Amino acid sequence: MTTTTPVRNGLRDFYEDPAVPVASGTPRSLRQARMLAAALGPATAGAKTVLDIGCGDGTAAATAAPFLAGHRLVGVDWSQDALRRAHARLPYAVRGELTEGGLPFASATADAVLFSEVIEHLVDPDGALDEIRRVLRPGGHLMLSTPNLAAWYNRALLLAGVQPVFSEVSLRAIHGRPGTEVVGHLRLCTARALRELVTASGFEVVRLRGAPFHGVPRPLRPLDRLACAVPSAASLLLLHARRT
C-alpha cells in the first residue's frame, strides 16, 4: 500500500505540518503514567517536577495528569503548532529543543522526564539523552517509550521480505510496509539496543515493559496484548531508568 503526502522541505517543515500525527495511543500512555506515578509516589510527600519532552499536542500528558495529581507537569516541544494544541490540555507548555542550545531549564531541576515516542524521530539520540540527563536531578526518573523494531509481527514481516511496521524510508510516502501514515521515524530500537543505549548515556535501567499498539488490526489485538508479557516481542517498549 502506498499513500502520498505533499513534498516537504526538511524535518522541521515535516513536523510543523498539522496533518502529521503527534499523539500516540491511549494504552501506552496509561501504562507509562502508572509506571511514573509508582516511581514518584503521592504528592503528599512533596510535589515533583515532571517534564513531558516532545509533548506534541499534550494528549499523553493529559492522560497522565490524573495519576500525577499534585505534581507539576510541564509540556515541552519545539513545534509551535503542537504547542498551540497542547495549551488547551496542559497548564504549562513551553518551547524547547534538545539541540541548538538545549532545554530552557537549569541543570538538575527536574524530578522526572516523560520521553514518549520521541527518540525514534531524532537524528542525534545520544545528544538528546545527554540533555535529558543534564536537567534531571541525580536519581531522577526517565520514562521513555518507543516502537519496537523486533515486535512480534515485524519478525514475521522481515522473514517474508516486507519492510517492518514503524520503519520508514521516505518522508513523502509509505513504501514497502503496512500502514497509511507517514510519521517521520528515523531510528528504531530492539529491547536490547534500547537498554544498552540508555545505560551508555548515564542511566540505570529499572524496568522494561511492553505495551500494545493502537494501529494493530482489530482481529490481532488480543495477540498484541498477550505479547506485552514478553517486552522484547511487544509492539511498544516502555523503559523506566534513573539518572546515575
Side-chain angles (χ1 to χ4, degrees), residues 141-223:
H141 303 278
L142 169 63
M143 296 288 173
L144 185 157
S145 66
T146 190
N148 183 10
L149 175 61
W152 60 275
Y153 41 81
N154 279 346
R155 302 181 190 206
L157 289 172
L158 276 171
L159 284 174
V162 177
Q163 186 81 11
V165 175
F166 307 125
S167 65
E168 296 182 333
V169 298
S170 171
L171 292 179
R172 300 177 182 179
I174 289 173
H175 300 292
R177 71 158 173 84
T180 60
E181 293 180 329
V182 178
V183 294
H185 289 174
L186 303 180
R187 299 178 183 275
L188 291 176
C189 296
T190 63
R192 178 176 179 177
L194 183 62
R195 282 180 176 273
E196 291 184 4
L197 172 65
V198 169
T199 300
S201 298
F203 294 87
E204 178 185 3
V205 175
V206 177
R207 187 178 186 188
L208 183 69
R209 294 187 61 192
F213 174 48
H214 66 282
V216 168
R218 188 173 298 275
L220 297 177
R221 289 180 186 176
L223 184 57

Side-chain angles (χ1 to χ4, degrees), residues 54-74:
C55 66
D57 65 3
T59 298
T63 300
F67 298 90
L68 304 173
H71 295 301
R72 293 179 291 271
L73 185 57
V74 182

